[in-house]
Structure formats: structure tokens, C-alpha cells
């Protein structure tokens, strides 16, 4: 059995050396890089071949890639690298890596074309000036072969180990038995649907009720399908931090059911959660864990993978940290390196769906055959919108203009001032036409876009010229502007451009140039669709995916995607659903609703003391009801979610739900306690929902409604009704978690009695 590796991956494994150095230096975007490669190819003579596919082998290792260009007349292979700034400041380690790649391509061409020698050229193209700097070395085929074999030898031990691991993994997964003996009700049809989708190479949208064990019910069948479908990696993508432990626990249970299962599981966490020295910069002169990172990486990597063979938690966050500190390397970047060697990676949505998603990039580079599990997929609509939206705030520009980079360097100040003038002119124009109100523009303003593009170039040159002058304010504006320009280039019907004026302060009107400029993504489907299509199979699952066409439209699911609505194992007799038709929680009726809500909650608590969750549409509404309950019914214990709760505070909030405690916990619908928490049995016996969860009616949402109406013909439902009721069903799902649970659910709004609303609630409720 052979192991296939890309030239880039081979050389990054064998030729990287020295420090981890993440000091900001401007780099070309992917589009700029592609354009630069095209420019370099267009300057070559007749017969020049660009993007030459090459492959070669050494023992059991197959190496493949594409040389940037080959000139048969000159017998020269080009490795083209685009850059910004000054080439003489390029780290020696980067040049070493580039030569390693170029010489591998040189040997593959010599072998393919039967050449005795070849000129190997590093072509550096300055994106700004379009000038080339070329370094050429004439190499004999024999020297290049020795170089190629030396790289392969360094990699071969890993390749052999990976082939052996893959064979053992696939054999074990093929024989894997369900870890719990019997499936729960509803779990088997879910597992069968996931397995069939994987076998057919399809996308599955799966609605399955809370509490049936969706995580195990999706992971197990995909692991079983992996050997026959030749799946290289399984990515479990979670919407929130709470989703990762559930997946890791499920994988531990699967592993426990078959001791010694050779399955490498990696947990990816956010950088701020993994950083050991948050007060230090990410380079060797500042952080000791960055100094010599690539020199110590091989030993750390070997330890982590070896430890994983005997300890299933070795590649979880704590395990990676232990290994990293033992070898004095950065835990965060060690985990990113280990993603190449893991079988299952558990991480946030952004690791795959974001424009710079690590897992998607690795999968494309290495041509992995991947399987995706998207947990709580109803969240992907909002998360996708945020990923592909961009905002520019006047305060960010103001801080950049006051920064040392602007005050000391005239070109920087000039570029920022030009952006400010274009922004002021735009606000004046919009104020004249719309009297300072929220405004949606037909296109991104051309003058502001040109100013931002020129400013981006000026700042890029500045950062390249002054790499040792950190300037946080200037960098913050640069990144925001860069993202805005990038999204402006991709602007289409899926997004809209708007200006939001600031509120008047102490009666003073806002000044021109103080608006917030936004490219607001409304339909993330065009950005998510290519990433879903790149996977061999994907399953998006949640308890709240009705109606299915809403998610298919907004997430860009393939036209031939599959759908399953798993029957609930729960029964109406387990959940007593009460609709308070005498209460309206509409904003206009909010004050009048306070006393009836407090009375109903107190009445229910007296009838059946225990633990309850009460959900409201806002903190203000929550606090008003809580204050009235405390005043009129002081005998009812209660506690409240506060704004911007930190994780320790969230844990303390949940720790009050014990098997013997009693009280009502007040929370905001859509917040940290409305989904992803598990309080079975007497820890939670009921819930109150004083809201339909509908988003606020405001100018932004009304524009989204109009865009949804134009695109899909159902603007109100897509903007307000469906998103609101998804939150309601998720929150209510906290009550019944096991087949033995019993509880009560009070839906406190007369609109819950409407037929259209009831149709979107779980059928087993019997509401």
C-alpha cells in the first residue's frame, strides 16, 4: 500500500525550521496570488507550460503536485512566489522551504522529461510593483534525485506508520459494534440514514429530537462507513463550545466499547483558550514556546501521536497541552499541526466554513476524502451570515489616525485621511437623500472602495517596511478594511450594503463620517455550498430544522440532498404543554403581561415545586418579571442570567440545578442556557416561554425581509417566524431529556395557539 503526499505538504514536514514567527507582515490574498502567477506565466515565451501536473514515487511514498511553470526551451522549472514589501527581509527559513519545494519539482520534471540537468528558479513577484526577482540554480538530475530522496526518507517513517495506522484503523472500524448494545428509539433510523448518505456520497439534512443521542447516532455510522468509503478524515463541527465535550464524550464511549481502537481524535480550540503566554507576541524573540518551534515540533508530534495510540484523550485540549509543554512548543499551533494526522477532528464551525478555515484548506491541499458532521445545524445560518459580513466603524478609523504609525509616517496619514474624506462625503450624500436615517445602498460606494483599496496598499507597504513597529490600532483598521474590500469584491444578491447612523448624543446630531458601513450577508449559501460540495458526505443535524426548505435555501445544500425527520421517542403524556392564550408578549403589551406571567409562574411552582427555566426575549423584560415575582411572591426562589456572563458564572448558574434544589431560573432565549445544556430528571421539571423568539422589527430586519421576499417569496417567515420558533423549540427541549422524564411547558403568548405556529412545533407535544 502506498501513501500519497503533496509536494507542499512533504516539504513543510521536512524543511521547516527555526522559530514560529507570526509577526504581522502583509501577504497577498489568494486572488492576488493567482493573478500574480498568471502575470508571471504571461511573460514567458512560446511553449511555456504553466501548472504542470507531476508525480513521482520513492519506495511506498507517492509524491504529487503542480509545478508553477516549465520552459522546455530554457530547460527551466519555475517556483513562483508572490509577496508584498521588501524581499530582503524575508526570513531565511522561508527561502529554505521555497528551495526545497522547487528542487522537488525539478527532480519530478527531470524524471518525467528524462533530463540530465535542469535550471531551478525561484521567481518572486512583487504584487505592488509587478517586478520579478529571480534566483536560479543549475542542478544535475542526480543531485535533485538525492534531494528528493532525502526529503522522502525524512517523511517515510511517518508515511509507513500512517499506512499501518490506516490499515489497523479501517479493520477495527469495519468490525466496530454499537457501544451501547441496543439503539435508543429514533437513534437507529438516524444512524441508518447517515450511513446510507455516506455510502451514496450525499448530503443529509436530519431533524432528530433532543435526547435521543444524536451525537453517537451520527458519529458511529460515519466511522462504520469510513473503511469502505475510503474516508480520510471526519470533521465534527460544533456551533458552540458546549458541543465539543458532547462529541468527545461520544467518541470516548465508542472507544471504550472496543478497547484499543486505533482512532486518533483531535480537539481544536480557540487561540485565546490555548495560549500559554497571552501577554507575549507570537514570535521567538518574545514567546519561549515560539522560539525554535519547528526544530522541536518533530519530537512533540511523535510523542502526541504515540500517546494517542494508548490514551484516547491524548489529542484532546488537555493532552495536547501536556505534550506541548513537555517539549516547550506552543499548544495551539501544535494542535494545528496534528490536524494532518488525526482521524476525527472536533472543532468550531469556523475551522471549516470560514474563508480561511484551516480544515477546509488542509483538505483541499491534500485532496482528503472528508466526511462532515454539522452539529446544531440551525445555528449555521446566523454563523454563516456573520462569517461573510464585514463592518467598518468610525472609531476604528479614528484610533488608526491617532496611532504612532499615522502620526510618524506621512504616507499612512495621507491614506487614512483620504478614507475619512470619502466616508464624510458618503454620509453627506446619504444624509441629503435620506435625512440621516438607516440607508441601504444599491452598490458599495465607488469612491470609498477606491480609498480603502489604496489605503490597504499603503498600510501593507508600511507594515512591510516597519515590521518591528507593532501598531495594534493600525492593524485593527487594516484587517477590517481588508475584509470589507474582499467582501465588496464578492458582492451579489446574497448580501446588501448599508449605512447605520449613530444615535444622537445629548441632543446633538451625528457628524458626517460617523456612520457604520456594513456589507451584510443575508444568504450564506453561495459561500457555504462549495465547502459542503467538497466533502464526500455531510450530515447537518439538529432538533429544529423545520421547514427543511428554509435551511436548504439558506445553507446551499445540494439539489439532491436527503432529508429525514426522525420520530420522537417521547410522548405527549411526558410533557404537559399549556398555552396561555390570555397573555400577549408583543412589545406594545409588555407592561400588561408582567403580572399575569409572574402569577402563572408562582401558581405552577406552588402546584409542583422543583426546578424551572423561564425564557424571555430580553434582559430588560427578564428583570422586570423577576422583580415583580420577588415582590409579589417572595416565597418562590429564583436566580437570573446576567449580561455578558463569563464561563465560571455560567457554570455557577447551572450548578444550582440539583436533584434536590427548587427555584426558577430566568434566562434569555437564544442565550447560553437555551440550548446545548443537559439537566435530566428532577434537575429540570419545567419551562416557561414568555416569547415567540421573533427577531425585533427594525430597519435592518425589514430590509432582510424584503430581500428574502424577493429571493424566496416568503420574507416574513424566513426573517421572523422560522428563526424565532427554532429558538423556542431548542429552549423547550431542555425539559424532556430521557424516556423517563416528565415535565411541564408553559407557552405564554396567545400566538402559540395559531395553526401556522403550531405546525412548526414538535408533533409529539400535542400542543
Amino acid at each position: 500500500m502506498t501513501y500519497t503526499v503533496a509536494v507542499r505538504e512533504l516539504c513543510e514536514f521536512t524543511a521547516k525550521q527555526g522559530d514560529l514567527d507570526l509577526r504581522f507582515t502583509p501577504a497577498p490574498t489568494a486572488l492576488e496570488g493567482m493573478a500574480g502567477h498568471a502575470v508571471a506565466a504571461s511573460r514567458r515565451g512560446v511553449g511555456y507550460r504553466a501548472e504542470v501536473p507531476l508525480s513521482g514515487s520513492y519506495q511506498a511514498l507517492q509524491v504529487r503536485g503542480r509545478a508553477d511553470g516549465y520552459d522546455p526551451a530554457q530547460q527551466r522549472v519555475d517556483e513562483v512566489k508572490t509577496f508584498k514589501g521588501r524581499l530582503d527581509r524575508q526570513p531565511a527559513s522561508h527561502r529554505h522551504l521555497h528551495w526545497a519545494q522547487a528542487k522537488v519539482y525539478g527532480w519530478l520534471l527531470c524524471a518525467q522529461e528524462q533530463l540530465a540537468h535542469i535550471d531551478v528558479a525561484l521567481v518572486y513577484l512583487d504584487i505592488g510593483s509587478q517586478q520579478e526577482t529571480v534566483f536560479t540554480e543549475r542542478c544535475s538530475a542526480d543531485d535533485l534525485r538525492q534531494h528528493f530522496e532525502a526529503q522522502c526518507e525524512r517523511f517515510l517513517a511517518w508515511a509507513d506508520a500512517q499506512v499501518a495506522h490506516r490499515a489497523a484503523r479501517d479493520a477495527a472500524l469495519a468490525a466496530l459494534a454499537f457501544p451501547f448494545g441496543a439503539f435508543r428509539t429514533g437513534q437507529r433510523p438516524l444512524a441508518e440514514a447517515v450511513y446510507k448518505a455516506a455510502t451514496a456520497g450525499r448530503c443529509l439534512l436530519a431533524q432528530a429530537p433532543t435526547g435521543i443521542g444524536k451525537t453517537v447516532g451520527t458519529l458511529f455510522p460515519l466511522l462504520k462507513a469510513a473503511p469502505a468509503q475510503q474516508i480520510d478524515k471526519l470533521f465534527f463541527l460544533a456551533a458552540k463550545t458546549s458541543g465539543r465535550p458532547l462529541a468527545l464524550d461520544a467518541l470516548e464511549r465508542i472507544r471504550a466499547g472496543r478497547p484499543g481502537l486505533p482512532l486518533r481524535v483531535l480537539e481544536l480550540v480557540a487561540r485565546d483558550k490555548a495560549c500559554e503566554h497571552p501577554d507575549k507576541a507570537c514570535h521567538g524573540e518574545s514567546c519561549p514556546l515560539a522560539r525554535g518551534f519547528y526544530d522541536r515540533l518533530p519530537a512533540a508530534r511523535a510523542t502526541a501521536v504515540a500517546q494517542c495510540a494508548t490514551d484516547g484523550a491524548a489529542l484532546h485540549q488537555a493532552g495536547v497541552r501536556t505534550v506541548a509543554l513537555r517539549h516547550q512548543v506552543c499548544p495551539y499551533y501544535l494542535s494545528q499541526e496534528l490536524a494532518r494526522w488525526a482521524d476525527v477532528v472536533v472543532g468550531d464551525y469556523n475551522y471549516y466554513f470560514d474563508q480561511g478555515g484551516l480544515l477546509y484548506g488542509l483538505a483541499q491541499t491534500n485532496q482528503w476524502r472528508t466526511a462532515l458532521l454539522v452539529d446544531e445545524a440551525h445555528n449555521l445560518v446566523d454563523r454563516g451570515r456573520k462569517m461573510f459580513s464585514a463592518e467598518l466603524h468610525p472609531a476604528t478609523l479614528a484610533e488608526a489616525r491617532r496611532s504612532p504609525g499615522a502620526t510618524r509616517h506621512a504616507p499612512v496619514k495621507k491614506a487614512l485621511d483620504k478614507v475619512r474624506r470619502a466616508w464624510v462625503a458618503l454620509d453627506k450624500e446619504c444624509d441629503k437623500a435620506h435625512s440621516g436615517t438607516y440607508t441601504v445602498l444599491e452598490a458599495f460606494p465607488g469612491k470609498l472602495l477606491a480609498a480603502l483599496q489604496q489605503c490597504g496598499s499603503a498600510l501593507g507597504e508600511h507594515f512591510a517596511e516597519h515590521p518591528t513597529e507593532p501598531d495594534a490600532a493600525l492593524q485593527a483598521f487594516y484587517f477590517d478594511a481588508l475584509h470589507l474590500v474582499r467582501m465588496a469584491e464578492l458582492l451579489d444578491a446574497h448580501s446588501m450594503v448599508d449605512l447605520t447612523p449613530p444615535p444622537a448624543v445629548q441632543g446633538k446630531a451625528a457628524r458626517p463620517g460617523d456612520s457604520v458601513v456594513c456589507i451584510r450577508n443575508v444568504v450564506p449559501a453561495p459561500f457555504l455550498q462549495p465547502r459542503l460540495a467538497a466533502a464526500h458526505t455531510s450530515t447537518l443535524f439538529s432538533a429544529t430544522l423545520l421547514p427543511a426548505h428554509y435551511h436548504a435555501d439558506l445553507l446551499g445544500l445540494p439539489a439532491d440532498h436527503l432529508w429525514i425527520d426522525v420520530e420522537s421517542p417521547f410522548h405527549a403524556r411526558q410533557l404537559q404543554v399549556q398555552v396561555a392564550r390570555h397573555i400577549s408578549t408583543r412589545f406594545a403589551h409588555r407592561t400588561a403581561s408582567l403580572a399575569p406571567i409572574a402569577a402563572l409562574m408562582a401558581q405552577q411552582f406552588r402546584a409542583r415545586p422543583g426546578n424551572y427555566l423561564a425564557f424571555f426575549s430580553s434582559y430588560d423584560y427578564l428583570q422586570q418579571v423577576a422583580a415583580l415575582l420577588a415582590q409579589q411572591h417572595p416565597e418562590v426562589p429564583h436566580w437570573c442570567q446576567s449580561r455578558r456572563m463569563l464561563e465560571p458564572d455560567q457554570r455557577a448558574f447551572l450548578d444550582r440545578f440539583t436533584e434536590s434544589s427548587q427555584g426558577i431560573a430566568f434566562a434569555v432565549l437564544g442565550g447560553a442556557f437555551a440550548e446545548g445544556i443537559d439537566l435530566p430528571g428532577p434537575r429540570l421539571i419545567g419551562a416557561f416561554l414568555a416569547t415567540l423568539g421573533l427577531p425585533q422589527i427594525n430597519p435592518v430586519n425589514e430590509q432582510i425581509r424584503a430581500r428574502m421576499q424577493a429571493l424566496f417569496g416568503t420574507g416574513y417567515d424566513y426573517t421572523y417566524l422560522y428563526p424565532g420558533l427554532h429558538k423556542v423549540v431548542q429552549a423547550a427541549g431542555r425539559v424532556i431529556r430521557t424516556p423517563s422524564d416528565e415535565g411541564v411547558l408553559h407557552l405564554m403568548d396567545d400566538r402559540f395557539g395559531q395553526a401556522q405556529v403550531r405546525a412548526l412545533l414538535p408533533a409529539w407535544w400535542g400542543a
Side-chain angles (χ1 to χ4, degrees):
M1 182 177 178
T2 61
Y3 183 86
T4 302
V5 64
V7 171
R8 176 178 169 182
E9 287 296 300
L10 171 69
C11 293
E12 287 194 347
F13 185 93
T14 60
K16 274 191 171 181
Q17 59 186 24
D19 295 351
L20 178 69
D21 191 343
L22 296 173
R23 280 175 287 198
F24 174 68
T25 52
T29 65
L31 289 175
E32 287 174 330
M34 292 169 60
H37 279 68
V39 167
S42 69
R43 293 172 174 173
R44 303 308 187 254
V46 177
Y48 185 81
R49 293 155 53 191
E51 296 292 319
V52 183
L54 296 168
S55 65
S57 60
Y58 178 74
Q59 297 183 22
L61 191 62
Q62 183 77 17
V63 181
R64 64 186 178 196
R66 288 180 179 272
D68 290 327
Y70 174 56
D71 188 334
Q74 295 189 46
Q75 213 162 298
R76 190 181 91 172
V77 60
D78 289 346
E79 175 70 4
V80 180
K81 300 294 183 184
T82 56
F83 73 97
K84 291 181 176 180
R86 288 176 53 177
L87 190 60
D88 61 351
R89 288 182 170 162
Q90 181 186 61
S93 58
H94 290 193
R95 186 72 55 83
H96 178 76
L97 175 61
H98 297 164
W99 273 121
Q101 292 174 331
K103 290 183 177 181
V104 168
Y105 286 124
W107 162 246
L108 295 178
L109 265 167
C110 283
Q112 178 175 291
E113 304 292 325
Q114 297 184 340
L115 305 175
H117 62 82
I118 194 171
D119 286 351
V120 178
L122 283 182
V123 180
Y124 289 101
L125 178 72
D126 187 326
I127 288 296
S129 68
Q130 299 286 291
Q131 291 184 343
E132 293 182 19
T133 302
V134 182
F135 301 97
T136 306
E137 184 177 331
R138 174 156 293 189
C139 303
S140 69
D142 189 56
D143 287 343
L144 292 174
R145 177 185 57 78
Q146 290 181 38
H147 168 81
F148 172 75
E149 292 179 355
Q151 308 309 308
C152 291
E153 281 287 351
R154 292 176 198 163
F155 189 81
L156 205 53
W158 276 86
D160 289 343
Q162 186 69 0
V163 168
H165 166 76
R166 178 64 176 267
R169 185 204 78 171
D170 286 353
L173 291 179
L176 190 65
F178 191 65
F180 304 110
F183 286 91
R184 294 184 190 178
T185 304
Q187 206 174 35
R188 179 179 286 277
L190 173 62
E192 288 176 349
V194 173
Y195 185 86
K196 290 176 181 176
T199 301
R202 303 275 288 279
C203 173
L204 171 68
L205 187 64
Q207 176 168 274
T210 297
I212 69 165
K214 294 191 294 292
T215 307
V216 171
T218 52
L219 278 166
F220 173 75
L222 265 190
L223 291 173
K224 285 289 290 182
Q229 297 306 309
Q230 299 181 330
I231 292 171
D232 298 306
K233 309 284 180 184
L234 193 164
F235 299 148
F236 187 100
L237 306 171
K240 298 181 179 179
T241 301
S242 58
R244 292 201 315 269
L246 294 174
L248 295 169
D249 180 65
L251 288 160
E252 287 298 325
R253 289 170 176 265
I254 291 171
R255 185 183 177 91
R258 192 189 185 285
L261 176 66
L263 190 70
R264 298 173 184 163
V265 177
L266 173 68
E267 179 186 14
L268 292 178
V269 300
R271 180 171 167 176
D272 61 347
K273 300 284 180 64
C275 182
E276 291 291 319
H277 299 288
D279 59 323
K280 295 180 172 60
C282 290
H283 59 82
E285 295 174 17
S286 176
C287 178
L289 300 183
R291 191 177 307 123
F293 175 87
Y294 289 108
D295 300 329
R296 292 193 292 272
L297 174 62
R301 181 170 51 205
T303 299
V305 172
Q307 189 170 328
C308 190
T310 55
D311 179 0
L315 299 185
H316 297 182
Q317 181 182 1
V320 172
R321 179 177 184 271
T322 299
V323 172
L325 297 184
R326 186 187 309 166
H327 291 273
Q328 284 296 288
V329 296
C330 172
Y332 177 70
Y333 286 100
L334 174 60
S335 69
Q336 298 212 340
E337 291 288 337
L338 291 172
R340 294 170 165 85
W341 309 102
D343 301 304
V344 182
V345 181
V346 178
D348 187 86
Y349 286 171
N350 68 283
Y351 279 108
Y352 188 83
F353 290 114
D354 192 76
Q355 282 186 316
L358 169 75
L359 297 178
Y360 178 74
L362 287 174
Q364 294 301 103
T365 299
N366 294 285
Q367 298 182 339
W368 288 335
R369 195 173 175 91
T370 60
L372 305 181
L373 286 177
V374 183
D375 184 29
E376 302 292 3
H378 63 279
N379 286 299
L380 188 55
V381 174
D382 281 343
R383 286 289 303 278
R385 285 171 169 167
K386 290 177 182 176
M387 288 178 196
F388 306 113
S389 296
E391 281 188 342
L392 207 57
H393 291 262
T396 309
L397 175 59
E399 290 172 9
R401 295 174 74 203
R402 291 193 297 266
S403 70
T407 55
R408 296 175 188 168
H409 303 282
V412 172
K413 183 179 185 304
K414 181 179 178 182
L416 292 170
D417 287 348
K418 186 172 183 178
V419 172
R420 176 66 184 172
R421 288 195 298 273
W423 202 332
V424 169
L426 174 64
D427 274 5
K428 286 181 177 178
E429 183 180 339
C430 289
D431 185 50
K432 184 177 181 181
H434 303 280
S435 302
T437 60
Y438 170 80
T439 305
V440 175
L441 306 177
E442 292 185 3
F444 197 88
K447 291 182 180 178
L448 179 58
L449 179 60
L452 288 169
Q453 289 171 329
Q454 293 170 14
C455 185
S457 298
L459 293 182
E461 292 175 7
H462 168 76
F463 292 134
E465 291 289 332
H466 305 87
T468 59
E469 294 182 18
D471 194 325
L474 206 57
Q475 288 184 15
F477 175 78
Y478 177 74
F479 290 135
D480 285 353
L482 208 61
H483 185 47
L484 193 73
V485 168
R486 188 176 299 123
M487 298 317 300
E489 292 169 348
L490 300 172
L491 190 62
D492 209 328
H494 51 65
S495 302
M496 60 189 192
V497 183
D498 60 32
L499 264 68
T500 304
V505 179
Q506 296 180 348
K508 294 182 180 180
R511 298 176 306 166
D514 284 355
S515 64
V516 176
V517 182
C518 180
I519 295 179
R520 194 180 307 276
N521 178 252
V522 177
V523 182
F527 300 104
L528 300 177
Q529 188 276 334
R531 281 162 165 68
L532 291 171
H536 168 68
T537 183
S538 55
T539 294
L540 297 86
F541 62 98
S542 170
T544 50
L545 291 174
L546 286 178
H549 63 78
Y550 167 82
H551 294 90
D553 287 342
L554 296 189
L555 299 180
L557 304 190
D560 66 345
H561 75 274
L562 305 170
W563 160 256
I564 183 175
D565 188 359
V566 178
E567 184 178 355
S568 175
F570 309 129
H571 304 283
R573 64 178 179 272
Q574 292 180 253
L575 186 66
Q576 184 184 358
V577 181
Q578 304 278 349
V579 178
R581 299 175 188 269
H582 64 290
I583 295 175
S584 168
T585 63
R586 297 170 180 85
F587 188 77
H589 306 150
R590 194 70 50 88
T591 302
S593 73
L594 301 179
I597 290 174
L600 180 58
M601 294 170 70
Q603 178 186 345
Q604 174 62 44
F605 185 82
R606 285 193 299 269
R608 187 183 174 190
N611 292 319
Y612 295 84
L613 266 168
F615 293 99
F616 296 84
S617 56
S618 68
Y619 286 101
D620 290 340
Y621 196 13
L622 175 159
Q623 289 163 355
Q624 289 171 6
V625 176
L628 190 62
L629 182 72
Q631 177 188 342
Q632 297 184 349
H633 307 280
E635 75 282 4
V636 180
H638 75 279
W639 61 99
C640 297
Q641 178 183 2
S642 61
R643 299 177 191 269
R644 293 179 288 277
M645 259 186 166
L646 299 177
E647 284 190 24
D649 300 319
Q650 293 178 10
R651 286 194 295 270
F653 182 95
L654 292 175
D655 286 344
R656 297 187 65 169
F657 291 86
T658 70
E659 294 193 355
S660 59
S661 64
Q662 296 180 357
I664 301 176
F666 286 68
V668 174
L669 190 68
F673 307 112
E675 62 179 88
I677 62 170
D678 196 13
L679 301 169
R683 294 182 65 193
L684 183 68
I685 63 168
F688 304 93
L689 279 143
T691 173
L692 264 72
L694 306 183
Q696 289 184 349
I697 295 178
N698 57 36
V700 173
N701 284 333
E702 283 297 281
Q703 286 294 331
I704 294 175
R705 181 191 59 77
R707 183 64 58 92
M708 292 295 192
Q709 186 68 32
L711 291 172
F712 306 113
T714 49
Y716 177 81
D717 292 349
Y718 271 46
T719 307
Y720 296 105
L721 186 61
Y722 299 157
L725 290 180
H726 291 157
K727 295 176 184 177
V728 166
V729 175
Q730 280 291 326
R734 302 311 98 203
V735 180
I736 304 299
R737 306 297 295 173
T738 72
S740 62
D741 284 351
E742 293 183 357
V744 62
L745 174 63
H746 286 278
L747 302 175
M748 299 187 292
D749 192 289
D750 61 280
R751 288 169 290 180
F752 281 112
Q754 297 174 1
Q756 183 186 16
V757 172
R758 290 202 308 272
L760 295 168
L761 303 178
W764 71 270
W765 285 7

